[in-house]
Amino acid sequence: MPLQVTGDAGLAADLDDIDRGLIDALLEDGRMTFRSMGARVGLAGDAVRERYNRLVEAGIVRVVGVPDPRVLGYHAAAAIGLSVSGQVRAAARELAKIPEVSLVASTIGTFDVILEILARDEQHLAELIDEHVRTLDAVHAGLTTMLYLDVLKWSFAHSPQATLSLATTPSPTVDEVDRRLMTALQTDGRLPYTDLADQLGMSYANARRRTMHLISSGAIKITTSVNRLSMGVATMAAVCIHVEGRRCVDVAEDIAALPEVEVIIQTLGRFDLLVEVACRDRSHLRGVISDGIRGIDGVTSTETFVYTSLQRLPVQWGVDALSQVLRAT
């Protein structure tokens, strides 16, 4: 469940129309050149570079490469809700140390912590839960696993990539050189081809060709993370939903029409759908749930978990990549 970087409430007021234009350009293409971004906002490339660096240093924007999880050997995913004893953030920090955990969020609701975990397969997932989650002293008996069945929406309100379509492409094939390139791009998705060539000891042309192939094949996705508060989002929550009388995919399609809904995952377990929403404040959240989600035919009940802090930021796989992971087994 993706939640992008959170920060100081004053960030939204610090952004002008040019900053927002640059952010929109980066959401569209994280590797867009400074010159191309400048053409959009009426600035020279050097001026755009200065603005971009300021946004990065302020923690407002971060561009990284996110590999297709299948390339990393992951073919199963689940969200896990936990009740813990003692200090919640301390338990969340311990859970964040598990390499396969991609998100750890402290929440207000039935669960104290919600985490997302990726695994090679369902057996590996069960082993990770038993060996690394249940064994923590702070974890109570209240552990709920929601196995991901299908990703029905995975996008962001400020991104033009919102979609309900699910591609059926084969898993990308990479070699050791590709993996080294991907590792470099995971740190900085905008690394110039010259820097990539220097780091890997190859020619500029080879670095450019390989990087472009990795991106076009879907082996890695260049993703722009934006501080949610800087975009007017102060409240993020997971909404777990029970569905009756209609197909989950049909209910999900109606829910996806709500602009605040960014993620919809069909799950197996206690709930049928796991939805993530981005709202201005708690009042806005209440309206989205009461007037929006609960008013949709087929939604029989909801349970809401408001995110209060993050100990580990999530990767943003994208709907195509995660869907392929879940359909591969």
Side-chain angles (χ1 to χ4, degrees):
M1 298 173 295
L3 174 65
Q4 295 168 297
V5 184
T6 57
D8 298 326
L11 286 173
D14 294 337
L15 299 181
D16 59 21
D17 289 342
I18 293 177
D19 290 326
R20 294 181 185 277
L22 296 178
I23 290 172
D24 287 341
L26 288 167
L27 285 168
E28 181 178 331
D29 179 2
R31 287 187 66 84
M32 185 179 294
T33 66
F34 291 125
R35 181 177 180 180
S36 296
M37 285 191 283
R40 292 193 174 200
V41 299
L43 288 181
D46 289 343
V48 171
R49 186 191 303 272
E50 291 179 6
R51 289 244 183 181
Y52 171 76
N53 290 337
R54 179 178 64 82
L55 292 172
V56 171
E57 291 169 1
I60 296 173
V61 168
R62 185 181 177 214
V63 181
V64 296
V66 180
D68 183 319
R70 294 170 299 168
V71 173
L72 304 179
Y74 296 133
H75 297 280
I80 301 172
L82 300 171
S83 296
V84 303
S85 60
Q87 189 179 55
V88 173
R89 290 196 181 188
R93 285 194 294 270
E94 288 301 309
L95 290 164
K97 295 177 182 178
I98 303 172
E100 292 83 0
V101 168
S102 58
L103 165 68
V104 181
S106 301
T107 66
I108 297 174
T110 305
F111 304 133
D112 297 313
V113 176
I114 291 180
L115 61 90
E116 181 182 75
I117 192 165
L118 301 170
R120 293 189 301 273
D121 49 36
E122 292 180 10
Q123 180 178 348
H124 183 217
L125 178 63
E127 292 172 356
L128 290 171
I129 294 172
D130 274 349
E131 297 175 11
H132 298 288
V133 179
R134 294 184 193 276
T135 55
L136 287 180
D137 292 337
V139 174
H140 283 168
L143 185 153
T144 297
T145 301
M146 294 165 272
L147 182 67
Y148 290 3
L149 294 177
D150 206 353
V151 181
L152 304 175
K153 183 176 183 180
W154 193 281
S155 59
F156 301 100
H158 299 284
S159 170
Q161 300 172 355
T163 178
L164 283 176
S165 66
L166 300 176
T168 56
T169 57
S171 177
T173 300
V174 299
D175 59 21
E176 184 57 33
V177 175
D178 290 330
R179 291 180 184 277
R180 292 170 59 198
L181 276 171
M182 292 166 69
T183 298
L185 290 168
Q186 283 180 270
T187 302
D188 181 359
R190 288 186 59 83
L191 272 176
Y193 297 122
T194 51
D195 291 358
L196 290 170
D198 289 343
Q199 287 189 28
L200 273 70
M202 63 173 60
S203 68
Y204 169 90
N206 194 20
R208 183 176 185 275
R209 178 183 59 80
R210 280 182 173 265
T211 300
M212 293 179 67
H213 176 71
L214 287 172
I215 295 172
S216 64
S217 69
I220 194 166
K221 178 182 178 181
I222 305 302
T223 301
T224 301
S225 295
V226 181
N227 185 307
R228 306 316 301 272
L229 295 180
S230 70
M231 305 302 286
V233 173
T235 301
M236 294 290 297
V239 184
C240 297
I241 300 171
H242 291 288
V243 174
E244 289 184 10
R246 294 181 70 198
R247 297 192 310 162
C248 283
V249 292
D250 295 332
V251 174
E253 186 171 358
D254 290 344
I255 294 173
L258 300 173
E260 296 85 357
V261 171
E262 300 189 333
V263 173
I264 305 176
I265 299 173
Q266 185 176 358
T267 62
L268 178 65
R270 178 173 165 184
F271 303 101
D272 300 304
L273 294 175
L274 179 61
V275 173
E276 191 171 81
V277 297
C279 299
R280 295 186 303 275
D281 49 37
R282 299 290 174 84
S283 177
H284 185 199
L285 173 64
R286 182 170 59 249
V288 170
I289 296 172
S290 299
D291 302 330
I293 294 176
R294 288 181 181 169
I296 292 173
D297 183 30
V299 174
T300 58
S301 64
T302 64
E303 194 164 346
T304 304
F305 307 92
V306 177
Y307 295 168
T308 59
S309 68
L310 289 173
Q311 296 300 324
R312 187 163 190 170
L313 293 175
V315 294
Q316 298 168 29
W317 305 115
V319 65
D320 293 346
L322 260 182
S323 297
Q324 290 306 310
V325 166
L326 304 179
R327 290 163 181 248
T329 55

